[in-house]
Amino acid sequence: MPIHYEVTSVTLDEIKDLVSDRAITGETMLINMGPQHPSTHGVLRLLLEIDGETIISCLPDVGFLHTGIEKSMEGKTYQQVEVMTDRIDYLNTVGNNLAYCLAVEKLVELDVPPRAQTIRVILAELQRIASHLIWLATQALDLAAQSVFLYCFRERELILDIFELVSGQRMMTTYIRPGGLWRELPPEFEDAVRSFIGMFPKRIQMYEDLLTKNPLFVDRTKGIGVISGEEAVRWGMTGPSLRGSGIDYDIRKVSPYSGYEEYDFDVPLGEYGDVFSRYIIRIQEMRESVRIIQQGLDKLPGGPIRSDNRKFVPPPRSDLGTSMEALIHHFKLWTEGYNAPEGAVYLPVSSPRGELGVYLESDGGPKPYRVHWRTPSYGNLQAMPILAKGHLVADLIAIIGSIDIVLGDIDR
Amino acid sequence: MGLEEKAGNLGIITTTLENVVNWSRTRAMWPLLSGLACCAIEMMAAQSSHYDMSRFGMELMRASPRQSDLLIVAGRVTNKMAPVLRRLYDQMPIPKWVIAMGDCASNGGVFNNYAIIQGVDEVLPVDVYVAGCPPRPEALINGILLLYDKVQGEKITHWS
Amino acid sequence: MSDHIQQAAETIKKKFKAEVSMFRDQVTLQFDKVHILEVCQILRDDFSFGVLTDETVVDYWQRKEPRFQIVYQLHSREHDARIFLRTPVAEDDSSTLSVVPLYPNANWYEREIWDLFGIRFEGHPDLRRLLLPKGYEGHPLRKDVPIKVEETRFSFNYDDIDLGKPRAEE
């Protein structure tokens, strides 16, 4: 397909119902923010109608990172699809793997051994901390606190080191597989995680010392970007952005997966639904994640890390030399894949940004017939016009940061 | 620096103009602050405390293309984003260089479909390709050092 | 199936001749597309399905008639229940009613469906392309559009494909 070198523009005709009448007469100004802008967290484009510095309306324009992942997934077998799941929400790679694997397991009715489930929870929570660290780093950077950015990335490196230890990759781990995990944990894993969670609560305290009572930060976040609980629900917001408005809803609590019901943790709730509430919630969530990881490590059971249902899960590499049957299973699984029963499943998990759901439809063959990702940032960004209305352009930066969007998550 | 030993007592060194200009270009290369996808996160990691790209004179990421001379295409380039990227490139002052960071920017990576451009070299002239999905920060730094080597070897006729 | 979902399913089944099916504990109601607004109204107001979590399309090209099925997913926070609605949409009349009046967040989901599958939504306030650029022709997630755009390169055809690729100029 030839590439068009024209930048897509929006004409006033197309959006005349979405802006106020004053924009048409030229009384207010329409300005474009993004897609190349340091504070839009990627390639988000916002069309703003402003009266002086005040935002009258805000129209997000997404799709600059539309990757066609759902289409590409239709051409791959169930094992191959997983490689692409990492790249959807690239700050929550383990969580995406988990959501996809749980959906496949639900579709083909596959059981996962308890050891694998506990390791999944530990890794997913580490990933939640890493994601919240990136959020904190960029939010603070947008509000001109550069040192927090450097500190957060310092801690994030430690988590990525753990991922690398486990899977050999820093970000795109693909360590969680349908039916269990890719391989056994290395012996250094437990020490690495324990030393991280031993140190990390003090670091959270350090971030809080820098920001929570800092008047520069508080003035720019309190009372900004307020959304009521009802509105947030109506607009389909999920995750910390919804809980900031005081709505108690977390998938980990209401429909637990991977054994989350066995862990003792709280779901922090905000009161005011503003940027500051959402900040406090994410900070608290990091503390809760540390608690979950601690419990997971303490009870980490022994046993296999993969289901032994050879119809769906490949045999261990060591068996291939001795067992003819294992060799056949291995060959069949990696050449043809496996057939999933006809039907459609939806499986939601709690990503750091909210409800991440996988809709997986099978036609009975080895490739998924349709995969749809219900991503949290997509829902959260839709409420952007309500959050931004009436605020100053400078506050918009804080608001975009506070709903923690990832453009890969929105555009897919 | 070791320079004074070479210069001797006179305080004068003799070299070619090419050397001096190319050297000064590599020592203050300002990248454009523009991230597209996953690789942008690794680019941020390369900027931050652990990897610290400013060791190579690159601590200033500029948000305006008018003030930058290196475009790091960090992530997959979509059909919708390509014209924007081209416009950013066109706005950058000469001399300018492009690094395609990651597999998606180099050749489309795992995404061979309707939305993704199969390599950013269809839109921009690329100087250095960095492999990896995403490349580690060390790989990006290595790519930048490769670019430095390339710039160092540029002839006066290439400057134009 | 919980009592709450059962009640809701029974009501819709009686009133709109919906087919009720269950797969892996998920209840799906399939009915004619003209009833979608009424069904959503009942489910939202009487059965507290207050959130539209997801809306998407499955394309059954050359497999089923009618070709498309729109899948709505409603969620009730009070009962923690999920219910799936499916409305078939034919290819020659690929339009259906928009649920934006009931669920405002359907806005982007429906724009995305129009963008990627080419199904129109009547009563939608702003039906523009969402993800693809403005001048894009076609609706790429339909099954009759090929998945790959570039042939896979191997050692024997590498050079041919490489030469055919467009290259940018300075």
Side-chain angles (χ1 to χ4, degrees):
Chain A
M1 186 176 296
I3 298 154
H4 307 284
Y5 286 105
E6 292 290 309
V7 177
T8 43
S9 54
V10 181
T11 56
L12 192 57
D13 267 358
E14 287 172 56
I15 53 163
K16 65 175 184 293
D17 299 334
L18 305 168
V19 294
S20 73
D21 293 339
R22 291 199 295 157
I24 292 154
T25 55
E27 234 176 297
T28 55
M29 197 201 279
L30 290 170
I31 63 159
N32 184 47
M33 183 173 165
Q36 202 277 321
H37 188 281
S39 302
T40 51
H41 292 232
V43 284
L44 171 67
R45 178 183 180 187
L46 294 171
L47 194 69
L48 304 174
E49 183 195 353
I50 51 171
D51 180 7
E53 277 280 294
T54 315
I55 297 167
I56 310 282
S57 53
C58 162
L59 311 173
D61 179 10
V62 298
F64 288 95
L65 198 55
H66 176 61
T67 318
I69 285 182
E70 289 173 4
K71 180 88 179 174
S72 277
M73 281 178 173
E74 289 170 8
K76 297 191 181 298
T77 62
Y78 285 99
Q79 295 112 317
Q80 290 169 333
V81 163
E82 205 193 335
V83 175
M84 294 198 160
T85 61
D86 295 282
R87 277 106 185 143
I88 292 174
D89 178 353
Y90 39 80
L91 296 187
N92 180 32
T93 54
V94 173
N96 292 345
N97 292 162
L98 182 59
Y100 174 75
C101 292
L102 287 169
V104 174
E105 283 154 13
K106 188 173 176 185
L107 184 67
V108 303
E109 293 190 306
L110 198 56
D111 287 327
V112 181
R115 180 174 171 83
Q117 294 211 358
T118 312
I119 296 170
R120 283 176 175 193
V121 168
I122 294 172
L123 291 176
E125 291 305 317
L126 279 172
Q127 182 75 73
R128 187 182 309 273
I129 294 175
S131 169
H132 282 348
L133 281 173
I134 296 260
W135 157 79
L136 183 62
T138 47
Q139 169 96 47
L141 188 67
D142 287 346
L143 298 176
Q146 188 156 21
S147 44
V148 179
F149 171 84
L150 295 172
Y151 294 142
C152 287
F153 266 83
R154 183 184 63 189
E155 268 76 82
R156 180 174 175 267
E157 282 303 322
L158 299 172
I159 298 181
L160 294 191
D161 285 348
I162 294 174
F163 286 160
E164 195 175 358
L165 188 71
V166 168
S167 72
Q169 245 277 30
R170 279 160 58 87
M171 281 172 74
M172 312 304 184
T173 57
T174 324
Y175 179 65
I176 298 174
R177 300 281 167 90
L181 305 167
W182 171 46
R183 61 171 190 185
E184 184 53 77
L185 290 176
E188 303 89 354
F189 175 77
E190 190 165 336
D191 284 345
V193 179
R194 276 199 198 278
S195 83
F196 174 76
I197 57 173
M199 165 278 294
F200 191 61
K202 282 175 227 143
R203 297 286 166 86
I204 302 178
Q205 191 54 47
M206 192 179 83
Y207 311 142
E208 283 226 84
D209 290 345
L210 280 168
L211 293 174
T212 308
K213 287 185 181 154
N214 181 344
L216 292 174
F217 185 77
V218 172
D219 281 356
R220 290 195 64 182
T221 50
K222 271 201 176 152
I224 304 291
V226 181
I227 188 163
S228 70
E230 280 172 30
E231 281 278 274
V233 170
R234 237 163 62 83
W235 280 93
M237 287 173 88
T238 45
S241 311
L242 176 69
R243 295 195 281 273
S245 302
I247 304 283
D248 187 2
Y249 179 69
D250 190 330
I251 307 269
R252 288 178 295 174
K253 283 281 185 199
V254 295
S255 49
Y257 53 91
S258 282
Y260 265 109
E261 65 274 15
E262 295 160 21
Y263 297 86
D264 175 32
F265 65 100
D266 299 323
V267 177
L269 293 182
E271 280 178 58
Y272 307 107
D274 57 357
V275 175
F276 192 73
S277 302
R278 297 194 273 274
Y279 155 77
I280 290 288
I281 282 180
R282 290 201 178 92
I283 294 277
Q284 292 295 351
E285 271 192 5
M286 288 200 264
R287 294 206 169 97
E288 295 300 325
S289 292
V290 171
R291 270 177 72 191
I292 297 175
I293 295 168
Q294 182 81 52
Q295 293 169 35
L297 279 181
D298 288 346
K299 70 163 204 180
L300 188 63
I305 44 110
R306 255 191 260 173
S307 154
D308 53 3
N309 185 342
R310 291 283 164 261
K311 243 179 102 189
F312 304 110
V313 182
R317 196 84 203 171
S318 55
D319 284 6
L320 296 188
T322 52
S323 160
M324 188 65 202
E325 206 182 357
L327 193 67
I328 294 170
H329 282 307
H330 178 87
F331 182 74
K332 289 280 267 188
L333 276 173
W334 293 113
T335 49
E336 297 170 2
Y338 44 80
N339 293 348
E342 199 175 332
V345 292
Y346 175 83
L347 198 125
V349 302
S350 167
S351 109
R353 275 157 280 285
E355 177 183 333
L356 172 72
V358 184
Y359 177 86
L360 198 60
E361 179 152 345
S362 157
D363 63 343
K367 294 174 180 175
Y369 190 69
R370 170 100 173 97
V371 193
H372 177 71
W373 289 74
R374 186 258 178 242
T375 48
S377 308
Y378 194 79
N380 294 351
L381 186 68
Q382 265 201 83
M384 192 71 206
I386 296 172
L387 292 165
K389 203 166 191 174
H391 288 296
L392 303 181
V393 177
D395 295 334
L396 185 69
I397 308 297
I399 297 170
I400 297 173
S402 78
I403 54 172
D404 191 16
I405 50 167
V406 170
L407 265 293
D409 200 24
I410 294 166
D411 298 344
R412 302 183 301 282
Chain B
M1 278 175 77
L3 194 68
E4 59 278 8
E5 291 158 21
K6 283 180 190 158
N9 292 335
L10 295 170
I12 297 170
I13 50 169
T14 327
T15 182
T16 58
L17 184 65
E18 270 169 4
N19 258 338
V20 175
V21 172
N22 286 336
W23 177 83
S24 54
R25 279 179 176 176
T26 55
R27 259 55 189 176
M29 208 174 257
W30 289 0
L32 180 69
L33 178 57
S34 134
L36 299 176
C38 336
C39 293
I41 307 295
E42 287 298 63
M43 188 169 75
M44 276 155 74
Q47 281 279 313
S48 60
S49 34
H50 198 85
Y51 295 98
D52 193 14
M53 215 152 70
S54 24
R55 288 175 293 162
F56 307 100
M58 305 193 41
E59 70 267 42
L60 271 178
M61 288 283 237
R62 279 301 178 183
S64 159
R66 294 283 186 207
Q67 296 165 347
S68 44
D69 41 19
L70 171 62
L71 176 61
I72 301 176
V73 186
R76 44 203 188 232
V77 184
T78 62
N79 278 321
K80 196 169 177 177
M81 191 63 194
V84 180
L85 215 54
R86 178 73 205 192
R87 189 179 278 188
L88 285 173
Y89 176 79
D90 288 342
Q91 284 175 350
M92 284 162 57
I94 296 171
K96 54 191 169 185
W97 298 276
V98 178
I99 290 181
M101 180 182 179
D103 290 347
C104 304
S106 303
N107 59 13
V110 288
F111 303 111
N112 183 2
N113 61 26
Y114 63 94
I116 296 290
I117 289 196
Q118 302 300 306
V120 72
D121 44 11
E122 295 183 13
V123 193
L124 311 172
V126 178
D127 293 288
V128 174
Y129 299 86
V130 181
C133 188
R136 302 176 59 89
E138 291 102 320
L140 175 65
I141 290 172
N142 182 47
I144 288 166
L145 295 182
L146 271 178
L147 180 71
Y148 284 179
D149 285 350
K150 186 181 173 182
V151 173
Q152 196 73 58
E154 271 182 9
K155 293 281 170 241
I156 205 162
T157 45
H158 290 160
W159 288 352
S160 65
Chain C
M1 199 189 303
S2 74
D3 292 348
H4 181 249
I5 299 181
Q6 188 142 24
Q7 267 180 14
E10 286 295 321
T11 313
I12 304 299
K13 190 180 172 184
K14 255 185 232 154
K15 220 165 179 178
F16 302 102
K17 291 190 201 131
E19 286 171 41
V20 183
S21 59
M22 204 162 116
F23 182 73
R24 306 273 186 263
D25 297 332
Q26 289 174 176
V27 179
T28 309
L29 308 175
Q30 186 169 334
F31 49 85
D32 199 90
K33 66 180 182 181
V34 293
H35 302 308
I36 182 66
L37 275 176
E38 299 159 70
V39 171
C40 286
Q41 184 94 47
I42 291 172
L43 289 176
R44 190 187 73 167
D45 297 344
D46 303 349
F47 294 97
S48 74
F49 283 97
V51 187
L52 176 88
T53 8
D54 198 5
E55 183 176 344
T56 185
V57 177
V58 185
D59 178 5
Y60 295 102
W61 182 53
Q62 292 184 345
R63 283 168 189 249
K64 275 188 202 174
E65 275 302 323
R67 180 173 168 181
F68 300 104
Q69 283 192 6
I70 304 189
V71 184
Y72 300 84
Q73 190 199 132
L74 303 182
H75 181 230
S76 159
R77 222 163 29 77
E78 289 80 359
H79 298 87
D80 187 40
R82 287 173 198 277
I83 197 162
F84 291 76
L85 313 178
R86 275 175 174 253
T87 59
V89 173
E91 190 183 0
D92 41 358
D93 170 33
S94 56
S95 76
T96 183
L97 290 169
S98 164
V99 295
V100 174
L102 296 171
Y103 297 106
N105 66 327
N107 191 325
W108 279 19
Y109 290 115
E110 290 180 353
R111 274 178 72 184
E112 185 188 320
I113 291 172
W114 156 242
D115 194 356
L116 301 178
F117 287 93
I119 294 175
R120 290 205 147 271
F121 287 88
E122 283 157 30
H124 190 284
D126 173 32
L127 201 63
R128 287 180 291 140
R129 278 191 186 274
L130 179 73
L131 296 174
L132 292 168
K134 209 161 94 182
Y136 196 91
E137 284 166 23
H139 302 285
L141 247 70
R142 290 185 171 203
K143 285 276 179 186
D144 47 357
V145 178
I147 294 172
K148 288 181 178 171
V149 294
E150 197 181 83
E151 206 183 328
T152 312
R153 281 194 242 181
F154 297 102
S155 49
F156 66 88
N157 61 0
Y158 186 93
D159 292 335
D160 299 342
I161 297 173
D162 202 49
L163 286 174
K165 262 174 89 94
R167 292 277 173 219
E169 315 221 325
E170 287 279 339

